[in-house]
Amino acid sequence: MATQPLVELRDVHLSYGRTEVLHGIDIDVPAGQITGLLGPSGHGKTTLVNLIVGALVATSGAITVLGETAPPRKVKPSIGYMPQSDALYDDLTATQNLRFFGSLYGMSRKDMDQAIPTTLETVCLQEEMGRKTVGAFSGGMKRRLSLAIALLHSPRLLVLDEPTVGLDPVHRVRLWTAFRRLAAAGSTLLITTHVMDEAVNCDDLVMIHEGRVIAQGSPAQLIATAGTATLEEAFLDYEARAEAEVHARGETPGDGPAVTGMASAPGTTSTTSPTSTTSPTSRKTKKGKHHA
Amino acid sequence: MRNTFAQAKRIWQQFSHDPRTVVMFIVAPILVLWLFSAMLSTTPGEPRLALVGVPGPVATALDGVAEVTTPALADAESQLASRDIEAIVSMSGTTLTVEVEGTNAGTTARTLAAIQSGLKDMASTQASTMPALDVTYLHGSSSWTGFDYLGPVFIGIFIFVFVFITAGMSLVTERTGGTMERLLVTPIKAWQLVAGYCLGFGVVTIIQAGIVLWASITLIGFPNEGNIAMVILTTFSMAMVSMTLGLLVSGLARTAFQVIQLMILLVVPQILLSGIFDLTNAPTWMKVLSVCFPISHGADALRAVMLRGQGFADIGVNLGILWCFIIAFFALACLSFRSRRTR
């Protein structure tokens, strides 16, 4: 890769109280691509995303977002974030919601007049400009408006947490087409999902299991390395290996309390460039923060 | 500043889409204050007096303001003891002696007020000298409080509670609805967020306070001796204390339920010590606590303006203290948001 990754995570740990939920994460999000965070619900995808956008602060480790050390401050206007919950003001109209967040991102009235129609078109909501408040919207419409808010200020980095959950297949396909178009235009997208059909559309995939990265690479590479027919089977294969590795170390998977500091619990990561041909299975166990 | 204004504007837009809240904001305090005034002042219209040896002109004057009978002294005393009458009025020389039953402060106050207004009328219309008044108590003492004394305190308290609930719920709603997480990720700073809330709700509160005060004074009949602008300024200052405290609580609480719990903890003691109950004979720690509470200062200032017609010179200290609370709560509210963990 010639260009610097837009987001870099190095040996990131996060604990809630005494429970550690992320056990040493290393991820690179290359510029101008769609990177998917793939993994079961409750295994740390949303937490990871919150760390990147600055809604949470890591317990230890280094996170760099658009060249700034997290939590981001100066680069905040260059990030678009769509949280997992819709996070809309139900008692405002779609346009009022968009204008409110737009002005927080420093957009002028003129910018917004131009950006709102095109953004609503991107998320197939252009007919919803009227007086109807968001409370009267369907679940899918809210989801798409939430996405529109993330897109409105044309950010360089888009962080989308489960953007297509609750959408019908037609809109799902349309949105993925839009994501591909945004990536082609130079935006970088980081998308979490637990749907394998969608994950195949990503340029690069990071598989998350129990707060650890179990594999990173393009979908094709991951399938080839696992020697399976589908991505789903590949994921199950990596998951099984990760479990085996955890058991081999004599730990119960997923428990956190005892492992603060993690010096004795190596993160299992592939830190190779995602487009390289290095097999994700050639993971080395690493100690501490030797990346720093 | 732009962010602050965007925030305030959003709050106004939300209000405009929610007419029920707007109506509640205006109607509920007026209704409660009306009920309060009705409760304290509808009880027996005119006090019942027993006149014993009271000369003609005075008796006529009292007849105009009270329900008057002229029993024998012994009968009068037994009627007073069984609370069939409110007072025995007798005359010795130029002194009018009033013996009241005295257990109910409100009744005592109303009775004496009626007698005094009767005597005042007599003095002004008949150009006769007003007899001196000597009040004795069958029970109780002269440390009574009346409705007039409480009215201004209640106006302050109701505005305080309403604003506290509105401000306290607002941020919790953002937290539970997920919009808080989204706001924290935008470039808006904590102080801009809190300032936006203060501006947005502040304007709404001024309008609310104006309408509620107008209705309380002209429609319900709360006393006001002072300048209405001073009353609004004092009420607004109290509302701002309540708002910043509400925002602080909202920043700390995770659920609406916790906001209510914190309200009971932080607001109810303030109400109890704000001057509803006479603290003259209270232990020192209680008096100190009362001075430490913002509502007490607001209530003091409101009483000074509405009852004694005092102006800025007299309530300046109280207002200054209120604004110190506002600044302190504002700063603390900003800090409570700086903690970035949204869970």
Side-chain angles (χ1 to χ4, degrees), chain A residues 36-41 45 162 164 172 176 192-202 205-209 214 219 222-223 228 230-239:
Chain A
L37 281 179
L38 180 65
S41 301
K45 297 193 303 290
E162 309 262 4
T164 54
R172 199 174 276 214
W176 272 97
T192 73
T193 181
H194 56 250
V195 184
M196 300 293 167
D197 299 355
E198 292 187 359
V200 219
N201 293 322
C202 297
L205 272 180
V206 179
M207 289 184 170
I208 308 279
H209 176 75
I214 52 170
L222 292 173
I223 294 172
T228 53
T230 64
L231 191 62
E232 189 157 10
E233 285 163 4
F235 185 85
L236 293 174
D237 181 55
Y238 290 117
E239 212 172 23

Side-chain angles (χ1 to χ4, degrees), chain B residues 152 213 217 222-234 301-312 314-315:
Chain B
L213 284 171
I217 293 165
F222 277 73
N224 181 29
E225 297 287 318
N227 183 341
I228 185 76
M230 284 308 293
V231 179
I232 291 180
L233 175 65
T234 312
L302 276 179
R303 267 199 301 259
V305 176
M306 295 182 77
L307 299 184
R308 293 170 222 127
Q310 290 174 328
F312 193 80
D314 302 284
I315 62 166

